[in-house]
Amino acid sequence: MSGDATVSPLDRKLLRDLWRIKGQAAAIGAVIAVGVLLLVMMTGLVTSLDETRQAYYERYRLADVFAPVTRAPDSVIDELAALPGVAAAEGRVAGYALVDLEGVDLPIQARVVSLPDFEAPRLNDVFLTGGRSLDPANPDEILLLKGFADARDIRPGESLDVTIRGAQRAFRVVGLVQAPEFLYVTAPGELAPDDARYAVIWMSRATAGAAYDMEGAFNEALISLARDASEPAVLEAVDRVVEPYGGLGAYGLEDHLSDRYVSEEINGLRGTSTIVPPLFLAVAAFLLYIVVSRMVQAEREQIGLMKAFGYTNLEVGAHYFKLILFIAIGGAIVGCLAGIAAGRGMVVLYLQYYKFPFLLFELRPSSFILGFLVSVCAASAGGLLVLRGVFALTPAVAMRPPAPADYSRTGRVGQAIARLLDQPSRMVMRRVTRQPLRMGGAVLGIAAGMALAAAMTSVMSGFGRTMDLNFNVIDRSDLTVSFTDPKSDKTILELQRIPGVIEVEPVRNVSVVLRNGLMTHRGAVGGRVMNPRLNRAVTRDLEGIEMRKEGVILANSLADKLEIAPGEVLTVEVREGRQPVLHLPVIGTTESLLGSPAYMEIDALNRALREPNRVSGASLRIDSARSDAIYRELKDMPAVAAVSLKEDARASLQELMDSGAGAMRYVMAGIAFIITFGIVYNSARIAQAERERDLASLRVLGFSKGEAAFVLLGELAVVMFVALPVGALLGYALSFGIAAGFSSDLYQIPATFGRADFGTAVLAVLGASIASGWLVKRDVDRLELVSALKTRE
Amino acid sequence: MTNFDQSDRSLDCAYRTQGLTKIYGEGAAAVHALRGVDLEIPAGEIVVLLGPSGSGKSTLLNIIGGLDRGTEGTVWFRDQELSAISDADLTRYRRDNVGFVFQFYNLMPSLTARENVELVTEIAEGSMESGEALELVGLHERTDHFPAQLSGGEQQRVAIARAVAKRPKVLFCDEPTGALDSTTGRTVLKVLKDVNETLGSTVLIVTHAAATAGMAHRVIHFADGDIREIEENETRLDPEEIEW
């Protein structure tokens, strides 16, 4: 080493080399940066969401267990509080309501939740963002969920018309709040949140008690667990206590809708962050290996010379290793910084859907360290292979004229075929077969790009398929009506009588817990008419499935979750009315990509419940020209609890898919195509660099530009055509992983093997090849014959 | 200038240059590789261009071989003005008329000796059989070997076979013995002499091995981008007699 103040000549060479390959170095650095960006952003988001959620829950004392009941006297709360493992218990009144806004034709669904009259709630407190708390002396005061208030532009001090159990009443909004149990808010039966279409109202216990006929009683118990308490044991004990009061089944926080979706999102991010960034880093490692090994190849005389001067293997190796580290660390730094910026941006997006009072993008140092380590390790893996080449070189190579590459072992391969080919084609064939590993690497590289592109286009159309399947094939209604409680099927006739209503199909939805051995699912069974037309169950081939009397039909995803197959018996614990426990055979499965529905023939369901001729809602097809009148009519029907339009549901789901984790698909698809181009272009450039001398020789021998370029581009073409099917297969496999990563409890994204998707990917790869080929050919055309011939490779 | 005069000259004159200049770079950094060279090279001769490195001899060879273009001046090959034709025509000129032999052979490593020769015979008109060309350079065996399996001398002979297979009117050799030992070098020079005699090709050899000059009809001495002297050998040495 030279003195401290001066840069060693090797390091100066390093800087100049970097400058010389700046284009390729930047491209590889960018791939590393993208990988690190995603890693930092996603792990940061996971940390932020997880920790913020935890803090929010603790600060506002979110219950660990929820126990809905039909009606239980307040004294039962003391019984619950005394159970072993229970830290605190509180009863409250909760129920459904409709909000009537001026200028809005459809009634808006709302959930009413009570707050204790004279004290802060022991559990499930709220965070006041504007206005003031309730004055227990004033029964007309309510607090309103901030998201809804913002979406409808309602401010503290304004009045709100609320219909509870058929009676409309004006309340005064005194404050706007957020609450940890409403982080993610959807109307019942809907999957995607829409701030404007669902309200949560808090009122005093006395007011709510009067409105829901719950004076001195509660219909939901909130329970927090003592440290070390066993949740299943507490659930069982709670169920036993509330059973006489119409207990509908206690459930833990993890089954609470809001928390489940947040967990789903966090898990999705965590899953994606372990699959996708490593993919990028692996691609970067591969590219680094190719570029640096090419450089070592080109500089072998210099390496020999350095060794002849007395540099050790390690010193020379370290020189090239530094180059790799330089690119890796550069990429990692850019990736970390961009990751922070992207994470901050994503947080804003998340706050639209997850109503945290605050969400700071926080990074643990471990995210950075991980990003750095992973990128440096990936790059080093590529580098180590290169070092092997450096070590193998002897000083003597500097003194010898270059030996031509040995093709003797490939010469006999396919002599018969070779006889049919002209010499340039033979050159292409031999080159392809000479170093199968190297060619395999190039094929794999391009195939990886193709796979990434194919998988992403496939997943993109998977999103479309999910929407299409649900909103065009399964649900062919225009709107869905839910009743306040199960009504006589005569209500259907009332709906049919509304002018403009073309078709009405009754449904009976029942809350249930499905069990198969240890597998359980909390959801609903949907009773359908024998041959549903508006809201169907469909086969994989999208044919409508006829309901049968004797059993249930499960969504594929639900059957998978419960590990049950047609022919087996499912335990159905009904959580309504008399709460019977039914044992029903599974008679079929249905294709569903939204939620996890289970279906039964409506009469059979009603018979099993011993509640004949009951309906809980209906699907309607209407004349769109008369929709306003129909909405008004529906709004005035006391039986109607909610009306939801298919178009609204579709729009909010689309919006949900286009933001949050779902939005990542656009970013990833963009990156996939850029990477594909990067790999193809790099392969073409490397092939060109390796063949420059041969190409120059051909030109000198009198081959035209096109003929010379054929030798190079022919090789690329062969690699490409091998890579395409390999890439299609890899893409097919990859699409399952990526689709699973994007799928959530909310929606499943199918990994489709659509011809169009793969066609798009093939076109992308071919487009990248043609562009790369053109860029390379341009350079071949400009080849300086003289200087190319002078260089000894 | 009359056509008659032109074609008349072309009968015995392979190349003619007038005021041929080649400048690399610009301004203060400009390097004058050729400074207005006027030269006539008779057809059918072995001509050796001698001179130290950087004297411009290779530059001249590259320009009249159609690999490069001059900055100024004209170059004639027989009745064709090389300095005025398109790139495509220059390729055509190389394909039909010119053979090249280089110091580092420039064989295609992925083709066998025979295939390297066929690379040229496939595209050039009126060329000989690959076997005949290899025979000419004394390689009857090992013709199905790849360059990596051949010695330096053998590789250079394949390169010569490849260059002569098209029966070129001109054979350009840039330091053809530069990478070879003296025995092998002499063999290669002998092949060049044979080609000159059997095919009647004009052979231009660029070298700084002065001894090679002994076998030439004509020796052109180069220095500082211009011709210093042209000597014609009264008696020519046999390649066997050349020492270096």
Side-chain angles (χ1 to χ4, degrees), chain A residues 288-604:
Chain A
L288 260 183
Y289 164 68
I290 298 273
V291 168
V292 180
S293 69
R294 165 68 206 158
M295 193 179 215
V296 166
Q297 188 66 22
E299 294 184 355
R300 64 190 205 295
E301 279 180 45
Q302 299 176 38
I303 293 169
L305 210 59
M306 282 190 258
K307 288 188 181 180
F309 289 162
Y311 280 94
T312 65
N313 270 339
L314 274 179
E315 281 163 342
V316 180
H319 169 65
Y320 289 96
F321 208 72
K322 268 190 218 168
L323 184 86
I324 291 169
L325 285 188
F326 221 95
I327 297 174
I329 291 175
I333 291 175
V334 173
C336 282
L337 294 178
I340 295 172
R344 291 204 174 130
M346 286 298 286
V347 158
V348 177
L349 213 70
Y350 271 105
L351 281 178
Q352 277 178 31
Y353 289 96
Y354 299 97
K355 307 296 180 189
F356 287 103
F358 53 88
L359 180 58
L360 287 180
F361 183 69
E362 273 177 69
L363 267 178
R364 295 215 189 100
S366 60
S367 295
F368 287 119
I369 295 169
L370 192 70
F372 262 89
L373 274 184
V374 172
S375 58
V376 167
C377 286
S380 306
L384 283 176
L385 289 169
V386 173
L387 289 192
R388 229 181 37 179
V390 172
F391 288 172
L393 278 168
T394 63
V397 291
M399 320 304 164
R400 276 204 302 263
D406 189 354
Y407 281 83
S408 55
R409 266 169 303 167
T410 66
R412 319 295 161 227
V413 179
Q415 281 285 20
I417 306 170
R419 232 165 277 139
L420 300 173
L421 301 172
D422 61 3
Q423 304 307 333
S425 308
R426 277 188 219 192
M427 290 173 69
V428 171
M429 285 312 298
R430 294 235 173 91
R431 188 150 150 100
V432 169
T433 51
R434 175 176 170 245
Q435 287 175 307
L437 277 183
R438 201 183 178 94
M439 282 298 140
V443 165
L444 216 62
I446 294 172
M450 156 93 186
L452 216 55
M456 283 315 301
T457 44
S458 150
V459 166
M460 297 278 266
S461 60
F463 274 84
R465 186 176 144 83
T466 299
M467 296 297 281
D468 181 58
L469 181 67
N470 194 67
F471 292 106
N472 294 332
V473 178
I474 293 176
D475 183 357
R476 298 193 293 192
S477 71
D478 295 316
L479 56 90
T480 305
V481 174
S482 320
F483 301 136
T484 48
D485 48 345
K487 299 289 179 195
S488 148
D489 54 9
K490 292 197 180 60
T491 322
I492 298 298
L493 298 176
E494 277 180 57
L495 291 174
Q496 266 161 351
R497 272 200 292 271
I498 300 174
V501 171
I502 301 167
E503 196 171 351
V504 182
E505 194 169 276
V507 292
R508 172 84 207 262
N509 288 326
V510 180
S511 299
V512 294
V513 173
L514 305 176
R515 285 189 208 281
N516 178 39
L518 291 172
M519 307 295 154
T520 65
H521 172 78
R522 177 175 292 272
V525 168
R528 296 281 189 275
V529 293
M530 190 66 90
N531 263 315
R533 288 166 41 81
L534 298 185
N535 209 325
R536 312 185 298 161
V538 295
T539 63
R540 196 170 285 272
D541 303 325
L542 309 186
E543 299 292 324
I545 298 177
E546 193 176 294
M547 295 293 143
R548 299 211 312 265
K549 298 268 178 203
E550 63 270 29
V552 290
I553 293 171
L554 299 180
N556 287 321
S557 55
L558 184 52
D560 289 346
K561 181 179 173 188
L562 292 170
E563 295 177 11
I564 198 166
E568 296 176 343
V569 174
L570 180 70
T571 304
V572 180
E573 295 175 8
V574 178
R575 297 301 196 191
E576 288 185 22
R578 262 185 289 274
Q579 300 200 33
V581 176
L582 313 171
H583 298 281
L584 299 167
V586 176
I587 54 169
T589 57
T590 171
E591 189 79 354
S592 168
L593 299 170
L594 281 189
S596 310
Y599 300 113
M600 240 181 117
E601 200 277 323
I602 188 165
D603 292 336

Side-chain angles (χ1 to χ4, degrees), chain A residues 93-277:
Chain A
V93 175
Y96 292 102
L98 289 179
V99 170
D100 197 0
L101 287 182
E102 210 172 312
V104 181
D105 283 334
L106 278 174
I108 294 162
Q109 299 188 66
R111 179 161 168 81
V112 172
V113 176
S114 75
L115 286 171
D117 287 342
F118 298 105
E119 55 191 5
R122 258 170 292 177
L123 294 171
N124 290 22
D125 202 354
V126 294
F127 167 62
L128 192 68
T129 64
R132 60 168 172 82
S133 311
L134 295 175
D135 174 3
N138 192 338
D140 291 335
E141 290 186 358
I142 56 169
L143 302 175
L144 192 59
L145 186 69
K146 181 175 184 292
F148 176 75
D150 287 349
R152 292 294 186 181
D153 202 19
I154 299 168
R155 278 163 241 258
E158 293 182 21
S159 117
L160 193 68
D161 289 335
V162 182
T163 307
I164 297 174
R165 288 163 33 102
Q168 198 182 67
R169 183 174 163 187
F171 287 94
R172 180 158 302 279
V173 178
V174 296
L176 303 183
V177 297
Q178 292 186 320
E181 62 182 306
F182 296 109
L183 270 181
Y184 185 91
V185 191
T186 57
E190 285 198 27
L191 288 161
D194 184 344
D195 284 350
R197 290 194 296 119
Y198 190 62
V200 181
I201 295 164
W202 283 263
M203 55 180 69
S204 72
R205 176 75 185 274
T207 313
Y212 286 95
D213 192 18
M214 290 278 168
E215 276 128 339
F218 65 91
N219 62 5
E220 187 175 39
L222 306 173
I223 289 159
S224 66
L225 298 179
R227 205 179 288 271
D228 305 329
S230 145
E231 192 186 286
V234 171
L235 287 180
E236 227 181 286
V238 169
D239 275 343
R240 254 197 322 273
V241 171
V242 299
E243 211 226 309
Y245 312 102
L248 299 171
Y251 57 92
L253 182 58
E254 67 282 355
D255 279 328
H256 190 281
L257 206 65
S258 162
D259 185 70
R260 212 167 86 195
Y261 286 145
V262 181
S263 298
E264 211 33 67
E265 182 72 30
I266 293 174
N267 290 339
L269 276 174
R270 198 175 274 140
T272 318
S273 73
T274 52
I275 296 174
V276 179

Side-chain angles (χ1 to χ4, degrees), chain A residues 616-627:
Chain A
S616 63
S619 297
L620 271 66
R621 202 151 62 80
I622 60 167
D623 176 358
S624 58
R626 301 162 89 166
S627 57

Side-chain angles (χ1 to χ4, degrees), chain A residues 404-408 411-412 422-423 426-427 430 693-694 697 699-700 702-703 707 786 789-790 792, chain B residues 62 67 87 91 94-95 100 102 104 106 108-111 115 118-119 122-123 144 146 148-149 174:
Chain A
D406 189 354
Y407 281 83
S408 55
R412 319 295 161 227
D422 61 3
Q423 304 307 333
R426 277 188 219 192
M427 290 173 69
R430 294 235 173 91
R693 217 169 100 98
D694 286 356
S697 300
R699 293 278 289 119
V700 168
F703 282 75
E707 287 165 335
V786 177
L789 288 173
K790 285 283 175 209
R792 294 171 31 164
Chain B
N62 290 335
L67 300 180
D87 275 356
T91 300
R94 287 199 304 271
R95 180 186 286 216
F100 283 96
F102 300 97
F104 297 118
N106 290 71
M108 298 295 140
S110 55
L111 298 179
E115 289 166 343
E118 284 168 358
L119 187 63
E122 269 174 11
I123 61 164
D144 285 328
F146 285 92
Q149 299 167 298
D174 196 351

Side-chain angles (χ1 to χ4, degrees), chain B residues 3 17 41 52 60 64 76 97 105 120 140 171 201 237:
Chain B
N3 280 337
T17 72
I41 296 174
L60 177 71
I64 60 180
W76 291 86
N97 302 298
Y105 332 133
V120 168
H140 335 269
L171 186 61
S201 306
L237 294 177

